[in-house]
Amino acid sequence: MIGITFVDRIGSGLWASVSVLYFTYVSGLSVAQVGTLVAVAGAVGIAGAPLGGRIADRFPITRVLIALQLLRALASFALLTTDHYALLLTYAAIGSLGDRAASVLTKLYATRVAGPDRVRYQALNRTASNAGWALGGLAAAAALTLGTTSAYRWLLAGDAVSFVAVALLTLTCAEPPSPSRIAATAQDTPHSTPANPWRDRTYLAYVTTETVLSLDDTVFKLGLPLWIAHSHGVPHGLAPLLLVLNNVMVVALQVPLARLGTTTAAARNLLLPLSAAFALGGITMALSATGGTLRATCLLTASAILFTLAEMLHATVSWELSVALAPGTAQGAYLGVHGLAQSTQRSIGPLAVTAAIATGPLGWTVFGATIAVTCAIQHRLVRDRLQPTPLSVPPVTVSEH
């Protein structure tokens, strides 16, 4: 599955970096239309996480993943067939729904196949994901030097083909045992009610805090580039360099850092240094506005390092706690609800970051402090709920394709 993630993210890297340009220059959409399309697709995608998790508790996860990858492929190929706005919006929304559902199911697969080693498995998976994104992005940048509409179309086609390849590779993966399906088969009382994450107030509160902790994603996609663009004397070329720094750090350090959170207690304890990283990241962003070019560049680089560290620590904490807090018989449903945090963050994140930018240095200080306080809240929230033993199933041997 790690190799599958790599192929998947190469395709996503081809498309994500040029999607807005494609809709603008190939489909001929206005800025408002592109913004609306992206917003609607993102909103529809929010439903993909809980829907995918619920289905995976009832059907073999590899089959569901194959179906979702083919759905994503069809949606991408469909975008090539029309410039009609309503159809483009529909196809983009379908693709977003499949993308968010597939993301949750990939995490669920890792949970079931890796057992107690799920954090290390996810770290390897995330490293492969970042490497794939980088490779796809570089290929897209090279293709765009041609400056033709055909280049855009070939990049979108490459994204679609990657989903077909991923679906075929998933056929080679063994199906891991599902605690929910095993429990359902073993029960003699067919009317028993499975655990419902929507009635679990503690888990819902945990997911709410996760939404705030996931804001680091928007910092790199929107916050740093916009802050640099509006900072006096800071070279605009620093923005892509900091994104490269983020990617390189994740590829190099995600797996080693994951070793710090291989148990539930250790993962929870990481919330404290995570809180410090967020707070310091906000402070260095604020201070970058108070000096000359060299000082600002150094502080922005320090902020990028701190937010990347926070990103990696949060990923490690999230992988462990989201599973440890979920009943083994409803892991899919619970991880689906947990997936709402990332999906929701994609909607509120831009608002939070632009508000911080508009407020100035104080805004970034408040931004970092707010996430830091949320880390402390989550640390307290999960204390009484955590189980003394992991809830994962034993690991099984699978193909790494």
Side-chain angles (χ1 to χ4, degrees):
M1 189 59 71
I2 293 173
I4 289 174
T5 297
F6 179 70
V7 174
D8 186 331
R9 291 303 148 182
I10 289 176
S12 297
L14 289 174
W15 172 239
S17 57
V18 302
S19 58
V20 171
L21 299 176
Y22 177 91
F23 290 128
T24 301
Y25 297 117
V26 179
S27 300
L29 303 185
S30 67
V31 173
Q33 285 177 316
V34 173
T36 302
L37 184 148
V38 173
V40 171
V44 172
I46 291 175
L51 180 62
R54 179 71 66 174
I55 294 174
D57 276 337
R58 291 167 169 76
F59 300 97
I61 191 170
T62 51
R63 296 180 188 177
V64 179
L65 272 170
I66 291 169
L68 287 172
Q69 301 297 1
L70 292 177
L71 177 67
R72 296 168 75 193
L74 288 173
S76 295
F77 279 125
L79 288 173
L80 288 167
T81 66
T82 183
D83 291 331
H84 190 278
Y85 185 63
L87 290 176
L88 288 173
L89 192 151
T90 300
Y91 298 148
I94 292 173
S96 179
L97 184 76
D99 177 71
R100 299 315 305 159
S103 177
V104 167
L105 263 64
T106 300
K107 178 179 178 180
L108 180 60
Y109 184 95
T111 298
R112 291 177 177 175
V113 76
D117 291 329
R118 55 180 172 255
V119 172
R120 181 176 181 276
Y121 188 104
Q122 286 281 23
L124 291 168
N125 202 56
R126 192 162 186 266
T127 299
S129 176
N130 276 268
W133 268 99
L135 184 58
L138 289 173
L144 289 183
T145 59
L146 299 175
T148 64
T149 57
S150 294
Y152 287 106
R153 293 184 183 278
W154 278 111
L155 290 172
L156 176 53
D159 184 36
V161 169
S162 74
F163 297 141
V164 175
V166 165
L168 293 174
L169 289 172
T170 304
L171 287 171
T172 67
C173 292
E175 176 68 27
S178 166
S180 56
R181 293 169 61 211
I182 292 173
T185 303
Q187 286 176 348
D188 295 325
T189 53
H191 298 293
S192 59
T193 303
N196 186 345
W198 298 106
R199 296 179 181 177
D200 190 332
R201 295 182 180 179
T202 300
Y203 201 82
L204 291 177
Y206 164 70
V207 172
T208 301
T209 61
E210 281 287 272
T211 303
V212 179
L213 268 57
S214 299
L215 288 173
D216 60 82
D217 181 63
T218 309
V219 170
F220 283 98
K221 290 182 178 178
L222 186 65
L224 272 168
L226 277 180
W227 185 247
I228 290 172
H230 291 83
S231 296
H232 179 70
V234 178
H236 292 180
L238 180 63
L241 291 178
L242 293 182
L243 291 177
V244 171
L245 174 63
N246 167 262
N247 200 276
V248 170
M249 284 184 64
V250 171
V251 171
L253 300 176
Q254 184 67 79
V255 173
L257 282 176
R259 296 170 186 159
L260 302 177
T262 53
T263 67
T264 302
R268 176 174 174 263
N269 288 336
L270 285 179
L271 284 166
L272 300 179
L274 175 59
S275 177
F278 275 125
L280 291 173
I283 291 172
T284 51
M285 284 285 281
L287 291 175
S288 69
T290 62
T293 299
L294 180 60
R295 174 185 169 88
T297 299
C298 292
L299 286 168
L300 286 169
T301 302
S303 184
I305 292 172
L306 286 164
F307 276 117
T308 301
L309 178 62
E311 175 188 338
M312 292 186 290
L313 288 175
H314 175 237
T316 299
V317 173
S318 180
W319 294 330
E320 176 61 27
L321 295 188
S322 61
V323 177
L325 293 169
T329 55
Q331 283 179 344
Y334 271 72
L335 290 182
V337 171
H338 180 262
L340 288 173
Q342 186 63 40
S343 300
T344 304
Q345 181 276 143
R346 292 187 175 187
S347 297
I348 69 170
L351 297 176
V353 166
T354 52
I357 293 172
T359 310
L362 177 61
W364 279 115
T365 303
V366 172
F367 179 87
T370 299
I371 306 178
V373 170
T374 306
C375 289
I377 293 173
Q378 186 178 110
H379 185 269
R380 175 65 180 83
L381 175 69
V382 303
R383 184 184 65 182
D384 297 331
R385 174 68 175 269
L386 293 175
Q387 302 294 324
T389 57
L391 296 174
S392 305
V393 298
V396 297
T397 301
V398 297
S399 169
E400 288 294 316
H401 291 294

